[in-house]
Amino acid sequence: MRAAVARAGRLVVEDVADPVPGPGEVLVAVEACGICGSDLHALHHASRLVEVARRTGTPTTFDPARDYVMGHEFCARVVASGPATDGAPVREGDLVCSLPVALTPSGVEPVGAYSNVYNGGYAELMRLTAGMCLRVPNGLDHRRAALTEPMAVGRHAVARAGVTPADAALVLGAGPVGLAVVAELRRIGVETVVASDYSPARRAVALAMGASAAADPAREDPVEVWRREDGRRPLVVFDAVGVPGTLMAAVLAAPAMSRVCVVGSCMEEDRVEPLIPQTKQLTIVFSFAYDPFEFADTLRAIAEGEIDVAPMITGTCGVDGVPAAFEALGRPDEHVKILVEPGTPGVQVHPVGASG
Amino acid sequence: MRAAVARAGRLVVEDVADPVPGPGEVLVAVEACGICGSDLHALHHASRLVEVARRTGTPTTFDPARDYVMGHEFCARVVASGPATDGAPVREGDLVCSLPVALTPSGVEPVGAYSNVYNGGYAELMRLTAGMCLRVPNGLDHRRAALTEPMAVGRHAVARAGVTPADAALVLGAGPVGLAVVAELRRIGVETVVASDYSPARRAVALAMGASAAADPAREDPVEVWRREDGRRPLVVFDAVGVPGTLMAAVLAAPAMSRVCVVGSCMEEDRVEPLIPQTKQLTIVFSFAYDPFEFADTLRAIAEGEIDVAPMITGTCGVDGVPAAFEALGRPDEHVKILVEPGTPGVQVHPVGASG
């Protein structure tokens, strides 16, 4: 099969051996797989991730010096079943999503991220644990279904931060993570949601996905936009960027006694002034990924139209186009979410209109 | 009166004009005033505090370039009443504590910290807002009563962190702040309280004040001590030190999904690796000071014997001894809490046994 292989910090598209489903596994053909900002990070910071896993006591067999195929935001069609899949909840022909996790006799193994064993969706085929697959309901198309994973990240962050409809929110960063937070905030009924981003294109997408206002931090303090829009409900500030400096930006934006939720992943060391969150008596909630129930219910919410992810989908490419897509995503005003659709020919990224 | 004046980053003991109580104020004679670690910081970082106050939107009239007299952990006797104090809850002869705050027509003004207007307890006399004074109940002695303020800091931190008797706690640092946290944890019924400190003397005081175990971080990982002592209840980790590095030490000690409470004040910039609290999904709660109800009930709790503060009181000195006391407190194995008792002669610190 064709695959975009991560090798020594670079992406190399080549033909590799097809995966073979083991006991309890199905073989799936990728229909769409979103490119995640964390994969752009992982390509260059993979050894850092392994180091953090080791220091936080998370076992991992991942060796970034060996080949791996990323892509953990996938929607795929079951094309074959491996042995011992008789009672499986899915069968050949089903369109499915799955948490990017495989259940194996030796433990839980990530799929498409930090694994040399299970390739991700930047490839034509994958093997998945049959029992982890969720059938895509309601005739939802494969593109929207592929957004389940990143939208679940936003849902989890909003839940971790304990946001209720009585709160207001300021979301710093309108990349996919920030947009997922915006969509979830609106889904649960938060009225004032200010999204802040330097990119006009991303601000427009934030408004399309339910932000009540968008702020350009180059022109005005996003907190002032919140004051103008609301200013009286308790404000929860989300750091949905995760580069050095954004944690303190969120801390400085947060009113006294409020909550900051860190959902963007900062791979590097950062500098903080602890006296500022302390005199403000802030609570900083760190959020990571989601739980299986949040994932499953996010797929349901998208399928039932509670969240419209279409405005986020700005481009598609084939497997051969993955390196170009990674480059395009480094230019934040160009794209939000690019989906890899292995059937797409060529090495280019094809733009998708807001109609999805 | 005799006063230890902070002047250009140094303490100068000299005779200054007696304070004159204004409308609604009483004049009090200091009986005991604890020396707070934050005063040691403030002497050198006062301009930093003003800068943080400005950046966090807290109005202040404090000018560290002008003289000021610190000391905000005081117990004092009312010696005279100013005008307009007829309905006041205290009268001449009463032993009182007060939040270190004065109510003035122009607003709330700190007393004995970050104020050029209201001197603190490193002096023979002070003026206080009569309506803020709490009579010391139950015949409690002035030394224990003077510990109300620092113990209220620990009480507030434990409340901010949402600790319940179903939790366990690890307290990093057994200085006055850490000891106040330890005492409050035991008061509310937390069974496993591990206190960690490099100083053998401070570890001994922590055990005397209710820690169930004390860890020497030079010899063993305090988390291992918690595992040995408990290891199954949810762990809350307190950073009760507040110097660069201790926030990340608390983050590394905290189990996944747990809470870290920052109650020690770090005046300097610190470095963090946000990916570590994020992958652990920690909640970091910053705590500062206390509210008036917590302050009043802490005085009650000490007076009713719920907290025995005597093991913390390791020395006393007169006003002339304040500079020597500041120096002694820079050597952490020598003292925990030194009380200024203006009646005490000489420039030395006098040791106090554990009997109080």
mmCIF file of all heavy atoms in Angstrom, chain B residues 279-303:
data_model
loop_
_atom_site.group_PDB
_atom_site.id
_atom_site.type_symbol
_atom_site.label_atom_id
_atom_site.label_comp_id
_atom_site.label_asym_id
_atom_site.label_seq_id
_atom_site.Cartn_x
_atom_site.Cartn_y
_atom_site.Cartn_z
ATOM 1 N N THR B 279 -0.023 15.956 30.048
ATOM 2 C CA THR B 279 -0.226 14.517 29.843
ATOM 3 C C THR B 279 -0.723 13.865 31.135
ATOM 4 O O THR B 279 -1.431 12.875 31.081
ATOM 5 C CB THR B 279 1.060 13.821 29.335
ATOM 6 O OG1 THR B 279 2.124 14.121 30.212
ATOM 7 C CG2 THR B 279 1.405 14.294 27.941
ATOM 8 N N LYS B 280 -0.384 14.448 32.287
ATOM 9 C CA LYS B 280 -0.927 13.940 33.561
ATOM 10 C C LYS B 280 -2.331 14.465 33.842
ATOM 11 O O LYS B 280 -2.958 14.033 34.814
ATOM 12 C CB LYS B 280 -0.016 14.364 34.709
ATOM 13 C CG LYS B 280 1.295 13.611 34.810
ATOM 14 C CD LYS B 280 2.021 14.100 36.064
ATOM 15 C CE LYS B 280 3.144 13.167 36.462
ATOM 16 N NZ LYS B 280 3.691 13.558 37.780
ATOM 17 N N GLN B 281 -2.790 15.428 33.057
ATOM 18 C CA GLN B 281 -4.078 16.079 33.262
ATOM 19 C C GLN B 281 -4.238 16.576 34.699
ATOM 20 O O GLN B 281 -5.229 16.277 35.371
ATOM 21 C CB GLN B 281 -5.226 15.161 32.858
ATOM 22 C CG GLN B 281 -5.190 14.843 31.370
ATOM 23 C CD GLN B 281 -6.553 14.456 30.831
ATOM 24 O OE1 GLN B 281 -7.376 15.320 30.532
ATOM 25 N NE2 GLN B 281 -6.799 13.182 30.717
ATOM 26 N N LEU B 282 -3.258 17.330 35.162
ATOM 27 C CA LEU B 282 -3.314 17.880 36.508
ATOM 28 C C LEU B 282 -4.203 19.117 36.553
ATOM 29 O O LEU B 282 -4.434 19.772 35.531
ATOM 30 C CB LEU B 282 -1.912 18.266 36.980
ATOM 31 C CG LEU B 282 -0.877 17.148 37.026
ATOM 32 C CD1 LEU B 282 0.432 17.673 37.616
ATOM 33 C CD2 LEU B 282 -1.392 15.958 37.839
ATOM 34 N N THR B 283 -4.670 19.427 37.740
ATOM 35 C CA THR B 283 -5.303 20.708 38.028
ATOM 36 C C THR B 283 -4.401 21.428 39.020
ATOM 37 O O THR B 283 -4.094 20.878 40.082
ATOM 38 C CB THR B 283 -6.704 20.506 38.620
ATOM 39 O OG1 THR B 283 -7.509 19.820 37.657
ATOM 40 C CG2 THR B 283 -7.357 21.844 38.968
ATOM 41 N N ILE B 284 -3.948 22.623 38.642
ATOM 42 C CA ILE B 284 -3.076 23.394 39.534
ATOM 43 C C ILE B 284 -3.888 24.553 40.103
ATOM 44 O O ILE B 284 -4.355 25.417 39.363
ATOM 45 C CB ILE B 284 -1.826 23.913 38.801
ATOM 46 C CG1 ILE B 284 -1.066 22.737 38.164
ATOM 47 C CG2 ILE B 284 -0.919 24.675 39.769
ATOM 48 C CD1 ILE B 284 0.234 23.130 37.460
ATOM 49 N N VAL B 285 -4.057 24.517 41.408
ATOM 50 C CA VAL B 285 -4.853 25.526 42.103
ATOM 51 C C VAL B 285 -3.897 26.471 42.808
ATOM 52 O O VAL B 285 -3.063 26.025 43.609
ATOM 53 C CB VAL B 285 -5.780 24.858 43.145
ATOM 54 C CG1 VAL B 285 -6.603 25.904 43.879
ATOM 55 C CG2 VAL B 285 -6.653 23.802 42.498
ATOM 56 N N PHE B 286 -3.993 27.750 42.502
ATOM 57 C CA PHE B 286 -3.150 28.743 43.164
ATOM 58 C C PHE B 286 -3.934 29.370 44.322
ATOM 59 O O PHE B 286 -5.090 29.757 44.150
ATOM 60 C CB PHE B 286 -2.712 29.820 42.171
ATOM 61 C CG PHE B 286 -1.719 29.324 41.155
ATOM 62 C CD1 PHE B 286 -2.147 28.703 39.995
ATOM 63 C CD2 PHE B 286 -0.362 29.455 41.380
ATOM 64 C CE1 PHE B 286 -1.223 28.243 39.057
ATOM 65 C CE2 PHE B 286 0.568 28.999 40.448
ATOM 66 C CZ PHE B 286 0.134 28.385 39.283
ATOM 67 N N SER B 287 -3.282 29.453 45.463
ATOM 68 C CA SER B 287 -3.949 29.966 46.663
ATOM 69 C C SER B 287 -3.183 31.154 47.204
ATOM 70 O O SER B 287 -1.941 31.163 47.204
ATOM 71 C CB SER B 287 -4.012 28.852 47.719
ATOM 72 O OG SER B 287 -4.678 29.312 48.879
ATOM 73 N N PHE B 288 -3.911 32.142 47.671
ATOM 74 C CA PHE B 288 -3.283 33.358 48.194
ATOM 75 C C PHE B 288 -4.108 33.856 49.368
ATOM 76 O O PHE B 288 -5.328 34.008 49.250
ATOM 77 C CB PHE B 288 -3.238 34.422 47.087
ATOM 78 C CG PHE B 288 -2.347 35.594 47.404
ATOM 79 C CD1 PHE B 288 -0.962 35.460 47.357
ATOM 80 C CD2 PHE B 288 -2.890 36.820 47.746
ATOM 81 C CE1 PHE B 288 -0.133 36.532 47.636
ATOM 82 C CE2 PHE B 288 -2.062 37.900 48.030
ATOM 83 C CZ PHE B 288 -0.680 37.757 47.975
ATOM 84 N N ALA B 289 -3.461 34.091 50.509
ATOM 85 C CA ALA B 289 -4.108 34.666 51.684
ATOM 86 C C ALA B 289 -5.310 33.827 52.126
ATOM 87 O O ALA B 289 -5.228 32.590 52.153
ATOM 88 C CB ALA B 289 -4.471 36.123 51.439
ATOM 89 N N TYR B 290 -6.452 34.467 52.409
ATOM 90 C CA TYR B 290 -7.599 33.832 53.081
ATOM 91 C C TYR B 290 -8.732 34.834 53.050
ATOM 92 O O TYR B 290 -8.537 36.010 52.683
ATOM 93 C CB TYR B 290 -7.252 33.522 54.556
ATOM 94 C CG TYR B 290 -6.433 34.643 55.139
ATOM 95 C CD1 TYR B 290 -7.016 35.860 55.512
ATOM 96 C CD2 TYR B 290 -5.040 34.550 55.193
ATOM 97 C CE1 TYR B 290 -6.263 36.916 55.942
ATOM 98 C CE2 TYR B 290 -4.275 35.615 55.622
ATOM 99 C CZ TYR B 290 -4.895 36.790 56.003
ATOM 100 O OH TYR B 290 -4.146 37.866 56.416
ATOM 101 N N ASP B 291 -9.925 34.422 53.433
ATOM 102 C CA ASP B 291 -11.003 35.404 53.521
ATOM 103 C C ASP B 291 -11.284 35.713 54.998
ATOM 104 O O ASP B 291 -10.794 35.016 55.883
ATOM 105 C CB ASP B 291 -12.240 34.946 52.730
ATOM 106 C CG ASP B 291 -12.980 33.792 53.368
ATOM 107 O OD1 ASP B 291 -13.040 33.713 54.616
ATOM 108 O OD2 ASP B 291 -13.509 32.961 52.613
ATOM 109 N N PRO B 292 -12.046 36.767 55.279
ATOM 110 C CA PRO B 292 -12.238 37.169 56.685
ATOM 111 C C PRO B 292 -12.870 36.083 57.550
ATOM 112 O O PRO B 292 -12.560 35.969 58.741
ATOM 113 C CB PRO B 292 -13.163 38.392 56.573
ATOM 114 C CG PRO B 292 -12.893 38.941 55.218
ATOM 115 C CD PRO B 292 -12.608 37.752 54.346
ATOM 116 N N PHE B 293 -13.737 35.267 56.965
ATOM 117 C CA PHE B 293 -14.368 34.210 57.748
ATOM 118 C C PHE B 293 -13.344 33.142 58.122
ATOM 119 O O PHE B 293 -13.334 32.627 59.236
ATOM 120 C CB PHE B 293 -15.536 33.597 56.970
ATOM 121 C CG PHE B 293 -16.561 34.607 56.578
ATOM 122 C CD1 PHE B 293 -16.597 35.124 55.301
ATOM 123 C CD2 PHE B 293 -17.471 35.081 57.514
ATOM 124 C CE1 PHE B 293 -17.523 36.072 54.941
ATOM 125 C CE2 PHE B 293 -18.407 36.045 57.169
ATOM 126 C CZ PHE B 293 -18.438 36.540 55.871
ATOM 127 N N GLU B 294 -12.481 32.800 57.162
ATOM 128 C CA GLU B 294 -11.417 31.829 57.453
ATOM 129 C C GLU B 294 -10.490 32.361 58.546
ATOM 130 O O GLU B 294 -10.069 31.618 59.438
ATOM 131 C CB GLU B 294 -10.619 31.535 56.175
ATOM 132 C CG GLU B 294 -11.410 30.729 55.156
ATOM 133 C CD GLU B 294 -10.742 30.660 53.782
ATOM 134 O OE1 GLU B 294 -10.022 31.608 53.407
ATOM 135 O OE2 GLU B 294 -10.962 29.666 53.090
ATOM 136 N N PHE B 295 -10.182 33.658 58.476
ATOM 137 C CA PHE B 295 -9.307 34.263 59.484
ATOM 138 C C PHE B 295 -9.950 34.155 60.873
ATOM 139 O O PHE B 295 -9.329 33.684 61.830
ATOM 140 C CB PHE B 295 -9.046 35.727 59.121
ATOM 141 C CG PHE B 295 -8.061 36.418 60.017
ATOM 142 C CD1 PHE B 295 -6.715 36.479 59.678
ATOM 143 C CD2 PHE B 295 -8.471 37.016 61.201
ATOM 144 C CE1 PHE B 295 -5.796 37.122 60.502
ATOM 145 C CE2 PHE B 295 -7.563 37.656 62.036
ATOM 146 C CZ PHE B 295 -6.220 37.719 61.687
ATOM 147 N N ALA B 296 -11.203 34.566 60.973
ATOM 148 C CA ALA B 296 -11.883 34.567 62.276
ATOM 149 C C ALA B 296 -12.020 33.150 62.824
ATOM 150 O O ALA B 296 -11.814 32.901 64.017
ATOM 151 C CB ALA B 296 -13.264 35.222 62.141
ATOM 152 N N ASP B 297 -12.341 32.201 61.949
ATOM 153 C CA ASP B 297 -12.529 30.845 62.455
ATOM 154 C C ASP B 297 -11.198 30.178 62.785
ATOM 155 O O ASP B 297 -11.145 29.253 63.597
ATOM 156 C CB ASP B 297 -13.324 29.998 61.461
ATOM 157 C CG ASP B 297 -13.952 28.802 62.166
ATOM 158 O OD1 ASP B 297 -14.786 29.043 63.081
ATOM 159 O OD2 ASP B 297 -13.581 27.656 61.856
ATOM 160 N N THR B 298 -10.111 30.650 62.189
ATOM 161 C CA THR B 298 -8.793 30.122 62.551
ATOM 162 C C THR B 298 -8.427 30.552 63.969
ATOM 163 O O THR B 298 -7.904 29.746 64.754
ATOM 164 C CB THR B 298 -7.732 30.602 61.536
ATOM 165 O OG1 THR B 298 -8.096 30.118 60.238
ATOM 166 C CG2 THR B 298 -6.348 30.087 61.895
ATOM 167 N N LEU B 299 -8.729 31.815 64.301
ATOM 168 C CA LEU B 299 -8.501 32.271 65.675
ATOM 169 C C LEU B 299 -9.304 31.409 66.657
ATOM 170 O O LEU B 299 -8.787 30.951 67.678
ATOM 171 C CB LEU B 299 -8.887 33.751 65.801
ATOM 172 C CG LEU B 299 -8.830 34.367 67.210
ATOM 173 C CD1 LEU B 299 -7.432 34.225 67.832
ATOM 174 C CD2 LEU B 299 -9.249 35.838 67.189
ATOM 175 N N ARG B 300 -10.568 31.140 66.306
ATOM 176 C CA ARG B 300 -11.402 30.280 67.154
ATOM 177 C C ARG B 300 -10.794 28.885 67.290
ATOM 178 O O ARG B 300 -10.705 28.316 68.387
ATOM 179 C CB ARG B 300 -12.807 30.181 66.557
ATOM 180 C CG ARG B 300 -13.777 29.302 67.364
ATOM 181 C CD ARG B 300 -14.900 28.718 66.512
ATOM 182 N NE ARG B 300 -14.432 27.890 65.417
ATOM 183 C CZ ARG B 300 -13.942 26.657 65.536
ATOM 184 N NH1 ARG B 300 -13.843 26.082 66.734
ATOM 185 N NH2 ARG B 300 -13.522 25.989 64.479
ATOM 186 N N ALA B 301 -10.350 28.313 66.148
ATOM 187 C CA ALA B 301 -9.813 26.945 66.163
ATOM 188 C C ALA B 301 -8.560 26.857 67.031
ATOM 189 O O ALA B 301 -8.365 25.865 67.743
ATOM 190 C CB ALA B 301 -9.509 26.490 64.736
ATOM 191 N N ILE B 302 -7.724 27.886 66.991
ATOM 192 C CA ILE B 302 -6.534 27.879 67.853
ATOM 193 C C ILE B 302 -6.956 28.008 69.310
ATOM 194 O O ILE B 302 -6.483 27.281 70.183
ATOM 195 C CB ILE B 302 -5.561 29.017 67.449
ATOM 196 C CG1 ILE B 302 -5.046 28.806 66.018
ATOM 197 C CG2 ILE B 302 -4.395 29.099 68.430
ATOM 198 C CD1 ILE B 302 -4.238 29.977 65.459
ATOM 199 N N ALA B 303 -7.903 28.909 69.558
ATOM 200 C CA ALA B 303 -8.333 29.152 70.937
ATOM 201 C C ALA B 303 -9.027 27.933 71.534
ATOM 202 O O ALA B 303 -8.980 27.709 72.749
ATOM 203 C CB ALA B 303 -9.266 30.372 70.986
#
